[in-house]
Amino acid sequence: MGSQKHAFLFLSVLFFFNSLLFSAADDVYYEFILQEAEFTKLCGTKTVLTVNGSFPGPEIRVRRDDTVYVNVHNQGRFAVSIDWEGVEDSIDGANELIQPGRNFTYEIELDDEIGTLWWHARSAWARATVHGAFVISPAAGEEYPFPAPTSDQTIILGEWFRQELTEGIVPGQADAYTINGHLGETYGCNDTSYQLQVDYQGLYLLRIINAVANETMVFAIAQHSTTIVGRNAAYARRSFSSSLTLAPGQTLDILLSANQNVGQYYITARPSSGRLNTTGIIHYTTSTGGLV
């Protein structure tokens, strides 16, 4: 009888420590520096507000249940605040307006969110270039409820304006649209194209974000169909589609099977109005098992 009690106690303690191991959450820290930078697109150069000098801004990548601390330093000319799409109820200082020359640390407590969210400036004039992905992976010991991908990539659909945007300017219709900051081949200014490299028979988790403020965007990959597995930081019932429609601010997690003949295929993104179109390229990097 005593040995049974000892065995039960041992198993209980083992289960307790295993549960701690697999449910342990981390504190994760990021530094964001709001600063102006010059970019050349659409045959012209202009100054825009960025985070850490990049467009789109840096990606936050954490695990479910983590607590995220983002220290934002404002080295720009105007006061700015950051909006954390989808987790507003769990943020310390969600409405904080950061004055030039000052900094503020946002504390973001994650709970049930899983998949893809994003962050952006609240100001309409700054949001066009101050935004980035917020990726939440499964917690330690958790697995995806779908086949494990070879890798995952984030794709942000954005917009570009010829005019310089500053405080008090409300952007109108975009002059161009971007895929991860690239305008592609369609605007006639030798702008670069976004390229996604894949291996034949690889399975890729693509995290699509529509960062365009007032446009529903249509996204497609030529000769490839995709499987939707997540929406707005929640798993979704799997569905198949050859094109994806994303409302402003929406995110989709999709699985892409690289199962076509080895070569190059266009990625397209356009507003639902069909006014403009931007392109990227999927490039197969190996012919193992594939057709050349």
Side-chain angles (χ1 to χ4, degrees):
M1 184 70 177
S3 61
Q4 290 179 339
K5 287 184 178 180
H6 285 114
F8 177 78
L9 179 61
F10 172 78
L11 291 174
S12 298
V13 172
L14 183 62
F15 176 80
F16 173 75
F17 280 106
N18 280 340
S19 65
L20 288 179
L21 175 65
F22 288 111
S23 63
D26 292 326
D27 291 340
V28 184
Y29 298 86
Y30 283 86
E31 294 287 332
F32 279 11
I33 299 176
L34 284 163
Q35 57 189 188
E36 294 180 346
E38 285 191 345
F39 285 83
T40 300
K41 297 181 187 296
L42 288 183
C43 304
T45 300
K46 72 168 189 172
T47 299
V48 299
L49 188 67
T50 68
V51 172
N52 298 355
S54 66
F55 167 67
E59 178 176 284
I60 292 175
R61 188 170 283 261
V62 294
R63 292 184 177 275
R64 190 208 291 264
D65 296 327
D66 284 350
T67 299
V68 188
Y69 298 89
V70 184
N71 190 14
V72 180
H73 306 258
N74 187 358
Q75 296 181 1
R77 293 176 290 164
F78 306 104
V80 178
S81 61
I82 304 296
D83 195 2
W84 310 91
E85 287 285 345
V87 288
E88 290 87 351
D89 293 338
S90 305
I91 298 174
D92 183 13
N95 298 313
E96 184 70 21
L97 190 63
I98 308 169
Q99 298 296 328
R102 304 296 295 271
N103 72 291
F104 179 79
T105 300
Y106 292 93
E107 180 181 347
I108 307 162
E109 295 183 4
L110 299 173
D111 187 11
D112 293 329
E113 300 90 355
I114 187 74
T116 309
L117 292 172
W118 66 300
W119 56 266
H120 60 81
R122 285 182 182 267
S123 305
W125 64 271
R127 173 174 169 165
T129 51
V130 177
H131 61 251
F134 196 127
V135 175
I136 306 161
S137 300
E142 286 185 341
E143 296 181 354
Y144 290 115
F146 46 78
T150 304
S151 70
D152 70 81
Q153 301 287 334
T154 302
I155 295 178
I156 300 180
L157 310 181
E159 55 195 332
W160 189 259
F161 299 87
R162 282 192 172 92
Q163 71 177 125
E164 289 194 12
L165 301 179
T166 58
E167 190 175 42
I169 295 178
V170 178
Q173 185 80 37
D175 296 299
Y177 296 93
T178 62
I179 300 175
N180 280 359
H182 299 272
L183 293 175
E185 303 174 357
T186 57
Y187 297 102
C189 288
N190 295 318
D191 290 304
T192 58
S193 297
Y194 167 69
Q195 294 198 29
L196 172 63
Q197 294 187 344
V198 299
D199 289 337
Y200 178 75
Q201 294 290 30
L203 182 65
Y204 295 85
L205 176 58
L206 303 184
R207 305 175 182 276
I208 317 296
I209 299 169
N210 182 10
V212 179
N214 298 307
E215 290 277 10
T216 294
M217 298 294 290
V218 180
F219 176 88
I221 302 172
Q223 299 184 40
H224 291 73
S225 61
T226 59
T227 305
I228 298 172
V229 294
R231 298 175 188 269
N232 301 324
Y235 291 131
R237 185 174 183 178
R238 283 185 239 180
S239 59
F240 304 92
S241 179
S242 57
S243 68
L244 305 167
T245 301
L246 294 92
Q250 184 180 11
T251 71
L252 288 176
D253 293 342
I254 65 173
L255 290 178
L256 170 71
S257 179
N259 56 10
Q260 298 301 306
N261 293 350
V262 171
Q264 294 186 347
Y265 299 85
Y266 275 115
I267 302 170
T268 59
R270 62 174 177 82
S272 58
S273 61
R275 175 175 168 267
L276 298 169
N277 184 68
T278 189
T279 60
I281 296 172
I282 280 190
H283 176 66
Y284 281 72
T285 59
T286 179
S287 59
T288 302
L291 302 176
V292 180

